Each structure stands twice: as structure tokens, then as C-alpha cells.
Amino acid sequence: LNTVSGVGVDQELISAVPSHNPTFVERNFTAEEISYCRSQPDPAASFAARWTGKEAVFKSLGVSSKGASASMKDIAILPDESGVPQVTLTGDAQAAAASKGISKILVSLSHSENVAIAFAQASS
Amino acid sequence: LNTVSGVGVDQELISAVPSHNPTFVERNFTAEEISYCRSQPDPAASFAARWTGKEAVFKSLGVSSKGASASMKDIAILPDESGVPQVTLTGDAQAAAASKGISKILVSLSHSENVAIAFAQASS
Amino acid sequence: LNTVSGVGVDQELISAVPSHNPTFVERNFTAEEISYCRSQPDPAASFAARWTGKEAVFKSLGVSSKGASASMKDIAILPDESGVPQVTLTGDAQAAAASKGISKILVSLSHSENVAIAFAQASS
């Protein structure tokens, strides 16, 4: 119980995350994530931080990657009322977590002027 | 018992942390932290790494931010005899941890030439 | 049981890790790691990411550093069949983990164009 089964870290140059590309955004972010990121002072940084969060969560699941073209929409990250990012899994990500006995995923996001990074931890 | 309740990651450009500003330093660092950082080969990097550590610890507490102007002095980070950074909470940070049932916080710090990063994990 | 006892984070500029230097490589990487890194699309980035992983794992052990010249060969990091990096300890690193009651170490690696980062977590 409450055994940590996986960790994940990811970083990206904010300029390398194509958040100005509607196809990329709609493929990888939920409507609520898009709405949230667009409401932030620096939407590109918010999209990039969330993108690294999705990658970090994926790594924490410990499953094989489906390749760079796989959608990340089934890993959604939105702040709770305290501003703490919460992870919601659906579809393939939810199935992967269930198959591994993962019941909780914690994530933290950070961005500086140029770089976004994230850390995630999956536990049973 | 020993359930991880929160994680936190933070990064800053070392040049973006105003460690040359005595008001900033005295507001956010304890006397022991100041003494330690000033004794290091690169004080600016040490202050910046410790600053990201405080931010990462704060995030791991999972409480609402009091804003960018809040003091970080009640999250102190100093190395033990093995060089492993240890977290000591006082004041509001201690109260926040107690209210969440957090009894242990682990932190790790790193800096390269330009960037400081930190990771923290809070558990019951 | 399954108590997290230490965490570690590390980052390096990829250009600062002398992976073109055979003495450095043979001193710090196992034959399997060298073979793996050289098979990757960007060997320098793979060596650098693995190097930060070794540093992060070392920090997670919570033991005193033997200095910058210590070999990191006894902390080996290789992907499993799903691509998830797995840590194998030998020699001094294995002894340090045993003395601390550490039975599991999780690690995650990431590199962007210029920077490699890693996170590690040691638990009983």
C-alpha cells in the first residue's frame, strides 16, 4: 500500500512546444486544459509546463512509449483550488495505470523564462 | 504511514535570484543559511539552489501560495554532516505541514553554471 | 516498509559531460552502458543523461561524497524492455545502500537539446 512504483522527469524548451499550433493543442490537451492555459499570464509557458507534466506522468507509469506521435490528451493536469496540479487519467493512460495497480499520481510543474520542467510520481 | 502526500519541483536562473540584495536575503534566509551560502565557493549559486529548494518544499506542502512576496524564511535548508540537505520548518510552514499530517520532507538541490533546480517530497 | 529514505536531482549541460573522453567513459560507465549509449541517436546526450542519473542516484543514497573524482561505475542505469531505466548497484554503492536499508531505487532521465537532468528516489 502506498508503494511508489515509478517516477518521471521531463524538461522542454518552452519554444520547442508548439502551443501556437491548434492541431497539436487539440490533439494533446483537454478543453479544460486549453481554457486554463489560455487564461494564464503566459499561455505558451503554461502549455509547455503542462506538456512536460504529461510526459513526466507517462514516464512514471512505466509502460512502453507509443512513439512521439501518441496523443497525451488522456493525461490531464489541472490545478485544484489551492493551485496544486492534479492528474486525471482517461483511456489508454487510465488502463495502463490500472494494469500496474497505480492509484495515485503526484505531479509538480515549473517554468523559468525559457525552460519548463516537471516531476511525477506514481504509487499504489 | 509514510505515504507521500506531495511533490514539488522548481528551477530558476541563478542570475534571476537577487542574492546580492540584502533585503531579499534577510527576508528569506535564516542566519545559518546565509552563513552557509556565503562560505561556499559560489555563494550566488548556493543561494539560488537553496531558494529553489524552498519553493519546491513549499509546493510539496500542497497549500495555497501567499503570493510572490511571502517570506520563505520559515523553510530552512541546511546540509547535515554527510552533505545531505535537511529541511527545518518553523512558523506558517510548520503549521501548514502539521495541518496536512506531513512529518517528513526530503529535498535535493542541483545547480549547473546558470540554472538551479530542486526537488522536494513530503510524506506523512 | 517502502519508506522513501532519500531523493536526488541532478542536471548538467550536455557539453560539460566529457563523453568523448575514453578515460572518463571507461572509468564511470559499465560496458553495457557504453554499448547502449553508443547505439543511441545522440550518444553524447545519452551519456550525459545517464551521468546525471548516476549523480541523482548517489544523492538519493544520502551518503558522503567521495569527491568529484570518484568512479560512478558502480551505479549502472540501463533501460528494461519497456524503456524504463533500471538501477543496478555494485561495489561501494551497493554497500552504501545496504547500510542504509535501501532496497529499491527509481530513476528518471530527460534531456533537451543542451541540458540533461535526472531524478532518483531511494526507498526501503
Side-chain angles (χ1 to χ4, degrees):
Chain A
L1 294 96
N2 289 299
T3 301
V4 177
S5 57
V7 295
V9 67
D10 194 59
Q11 61 174 346
E12 302 283 350
L13 284 169
I14 293 170
S15 61
V17 177
S19 58
H20 54 277
N21 177 334
T23 304
F24 171 80
V25 167
E26 281 160 34
R27 179 172 178 75
N28 291 297
F29 295 85
T30 67
E32 279 140 329
E33 289 181 304
I34 295 169
S35 170
Y36 172 76
C37 290
R38 290 195 175 143
S39 76
Q40 293 302 105
D42 184 345
S46 293
F47 277 115
R50 201 147 263 92
W51 175 253
T52 62
K54 290 167 183 267
E55 293 277 4
V57 169
F58 183 84
K59 288 180 176 183
S60 78
L61 296 176
V63 294
S64 298
S65 174
K66 290 175 292 173
S69 63
S71 166
M72 283 294 194
K73 206 175 196 162
D74 53 8
I75 299 172
I77 303 174
L78 283 166
D80 68 11
E81 69 281 0
S82 295
V84 179
Q86 303 293 322
V87 179
T88 307
L89 303 181
T90 53
D92 288 350
Q94 187 180 42
S99 76
K100 296 261 179 174
I102 293 167
S103 60
K104 186 168 74 165
I105 301 180
L106 297 171
V107 70
S108 184
L109 313 177
S110 175
H111 58 80
S112 64
E113 207 172 328
N114 300 318
V115 177
I117 65 173
F119 170 76
Q121 178 178 289
S123 56
S124 59
Chain B
L1 293 98
N2 290 297
T3 301
V4 177
S5 57
V7 294
V9 67
D10 195 56
Q11 62 174 345
E12 301 284 350
L13 284 167
I14 293 171
S15 61
V17 177
S19 58
H20 53 277
N21 178 334
T23 304
F24 171 80
V25 167
E26 281 160 34
R27 178 172 179 74
N28 291 297
F29 295 85
T30 67
E32 280 140 329
E33 290 182 303
I34 295 169
S35 171
Y36 173 76
C37 290
R38 290 196 175 143
S39 75
Q40 293 302 105
D42 184 345
S46 294
F47 276 116
R50 202 146 262 93
W51 175 253
T52 62
K54 290 167 183 268
E55 293 276 4
V57 169
F58 183 84
K59 288 180 176 184
S60 78
L61 296 176
V63 293
S64 298
S65 172
K66 290 176 292 172
S69 63
S71 165
M72 283 295 194
K73 207 175 196 163
D74 53 9
I75 299 172
I77 303 174
L78 283 165
D80 68 12
E81 69 280 2
S82 294
V84 179
Q86 303 294 323
V87 179
T88 307
L89 304 182
T90 52
D92 288 350
Q94 188 180 41
S99 77
K100 296 260 178 175
I102 293 166
S103 59
K104 187 167 72 164
I105 301 180
L106 298 170
V107 71
S108 183
L109 312 177
S110 174
H111 58 80
S112 63
E113 206 174 327
N114 299 318
V115 177
I117 65 173
F119 171 76
Q121 178 179 289
S123 55
S124 60
Chain C
L1 294 97
N2 290 297
T3 300
V4 178
S5 57
V7 295
V9 67
D10 194 58
Q11 63 174 346
E12 302 283 351
L13 283 169
I14 293 171
S15 61
V17 177
S19 57
H20 54 277
N21 178 335
T23 304
F24 171 80
V25 167
E26 281 159 35
R27 178 171 180 74
N28 291 297
F29 295 85
T30 67
E32 279 139 330
E33 289 181 304
I34 295 169
S35 170
Y36 172 76
C37 289
R38 290 196 175 142
S39 76
Q40 293 302 107
D42 184 345
S46 293
F47 276 115
R50 201 147 263 91
W51 176 253
T52 62
K54 291 167 184 268
E55 294 277 3
V57 169
F58 182 84
K59 289 180 176 185
S60 79
L61 296 176
V63 294
S64 296
S65 174
K66 291 175 290 174
S69 63
S71 164
M72 284 294 195
K73 206 175 196 164
D74 54 8
I75 299 172
I77 303 174
L78 283 165
D80 68 11
E81 69 281 1
S82 295
V84 179
Q86 303 293 322
V87 179
T88 307
L89 303 182
T90 53
D92 287 351
Q94 188 180 42
S99 77
K100 296 259 178 175
I102 293 166
S103 60
K104 187 167 73 164
I105 301 180
L106 298 171
V107 70
S108 184
L109 313 177
S110 173
H111 58 81
S112 63
E113 206 173 327
N114 299 318
V115 177
I117 65 174
F119 170 77
Q121 178 178 289
S123 56
S124 60

